[in-house]
Amino acid sequence: MRLVRMLALVAVAGFTVGCQTVQTTRAGAVGVTRGQSMLVSEQDIETASAKAYAQVLQEAKAKGTLNRNKAQVSRVRGIASRLIPQTGVFRKDALAWNWEVNVITSDQLNAWCMAGGKIAVYTGLIDKLKLSDAEIAVVMGHEIAHALREHSRERASQQMVTNIGLSVLSAAVGLGQGGADLMGAVAKVTFELPNSRLHETEADSLGVELAARAGYDPRAAVGLWQKMEQHSNGAPPQWLSTHPSYATRQQDLARDAQRVLPLYEAAHKR
């Protein structure tokens, strides 16, 4: 067992050395500049995301909940068509992603964007909160920002680092496969695990800028989160939550909205 543990430690050290620190996006007007440590490759996470996305769509289609309301689908895709061209400001390669935008009929207040531009918006979010186009743009901008910043890849990498010792040890003693199931990891970080405060804050900032550049009033972000707060009947104290508190979030969004307001005004002059 000592030999097995030594081999596991050596393997973990090798994986740690294999981590790359990357800058996934340009700073933009909002100034997001943090470097990120990645263990999973960009191609692997995009491939896994595409498979997970296809599975979600297949299940929704089987239930009759995929793109059921044509007018709503047209509305959401129209907003996306204005947001997606703005992604090049943060990373040019995003313009060549195989973007997909679909609407799922569900009571959930939810939306997400997987790696490579795989977007889903749930009707409950739009209907229950009675969102304006600008508010939908802020939501979608936020979710697109998660993909641009490769937060799912970062979180999957963090999970691998956390679990790698056990995985390597299991493989060394013949207890199972040591490799990570990336499709499962993508589904887990998309649907189960909440984003960290840092990831949420970055996505808020980039999302507001995307909306502004697309010609949507970035100040709608504040109204959106006021609606979210009213719907949830308040929130736990910030130190008990993985997300920023509603008050903190609205304050930060108001600051970012003012910062990118000239971009919104310039978009209307074009």
Side-chain angles (χ1 to χ4, degrees), residues 196-197 200-201 204 238 241-249 252:
S196 68
R197 289 187 195 176
E200 286 296 291
T201 299
D204 278 349
Q238 183 169 353
S241 175
T242 57
H243 285 202
S245 70
Y246 285 116
T248 299
R249 197 164 208 162
D252 291 345

Side-chain angles (χ1 to χ4, degrees), residues 47 65 72 76 100 102 154 161 168 172 201 213 215 231 235-236 265:
T47 299
T65 59
Q72 205 162 53
V76 169
E100 294 184 59
N102 290 283
E154 185 177 17
V161 171
V168 171
T201 299
R213 289 182 179 276
H231 188 272
E265 294 168 347

Side-chain angles (χ1 to χ4, degrees), residues 8 12 162-172 178:
V12 171
T162 300
N163 298 328
I164 201 68
L166 180 60
S167 297
V168 171
L169 184 60
S170 297

Side-chain angles (χ1 to χ4, degrees), residues 7-239:
L7 289 172
L9 288 172
V10 170
V12 171
F15 277 116
T16 302
V17 170
C19 281
Q20 293 180 315
T21 300
V22 299
Q23 181 61 257
T24 54
T25 59
R26 295 185 183 88
V30 291
V32 175
T33 58
R34 179 180 64 91
Q36 297 159 274
S37 295
M38 303 295 194
L39 182 59
V40 182
S41 76
E42 182 179 355
Q43 182 59 52
D44 284 348
I45 206 74
E46 285 192 17
T47 299
S49 294
K51 290 179 179 178
Y53 188 71
Q55 184 174 320
V56 170
L57 297 188
Q58 184 179 8
E59 291 173 357
K61 188 174 182 180
K63 295 176 182 176
T65 59
L66 180 64
N67 298 327
R68 196 162 71 184
N69 185 322
K70 290 184 179 180
Q72 205 162 53
V73 173
S74 178
R75 183 187 181 198
V76 169
R77 287 179 174 171
I79 294 168
S81 72
R82 290 170 56 176
L83 290 169
I84 291 169
Q86 311 309 318
T87 60
V89 171
F90 295 104
R91 49 185 299 169
K92 290 183 179 179
D93 66 315
L95 296 173
W97 285 355
N98 183 23
W99 292 89
E100 294 184 59
V101 183
N102 290 283
V103 177
I104 297 174
T105 298
S106 169
D107 287 339
Q108 292 183 53
L109 274 66
N110 198 13
W112 41 264
C113 179
M114 289 183 177
K118 307 303 184 187
I119 299 171
V121 178
Y122 291 62
T123 57
L125 183 69
I126 300 171
D127 296 337
K128 289 185 178 180
L129 299 185
K130 296 180 173 55
L131 297 187
S132 66
D133 283 3
E135 288 167 339
I136 294 174
V138 168
V139 170
M140 294 182 71
H142 173 99
E143 299 306 328
I144 288 170
H146 279 308
L148 295 176
R149 290 290 293 162
E150 297 188 52
H151 286 154
S152 63
R153 180 184 170 200
E154 185 177 17
R155 293 165 72 203
S157 296
Q158 291 166 349
Q159 277 199 309
M160 286 185 70
V161 171
T162 300
N163 298 328
I164 201 68
L166 180 60
S167 297
V168 171
L169 184 60
S170 297
V173 298
L175 295 179
Q177 182 180 356
D181 180 354
L182 273 185
M183 185 174 166
V186 165
K188 192 174 185 65
V189 298
T190 301
F191 306 122
E192 298 178 24
L193 299 177
N195 285 299
S196 68
R197 289 187 195 176
L198 178 59
H199 286 178
E200 286 296 291
T201 299
E202 288 181 347
D204 278 349
S205 295
L206 267 68
V208 164
E209 182 168 341
L210 283 170
R213 289 182 179 276
Y216 294 101
D217 192 337
R219 293 167 293 192
V222 177
L224 166 68
W225 283 100
Q226 287 173 345
K227 289 181 178 181
M228 290 289 284
E229 182 177 13
Q230 291 166 4
H231 188 272
S232 65
N233 296 316
Q238 183 169 353
W239 58 273

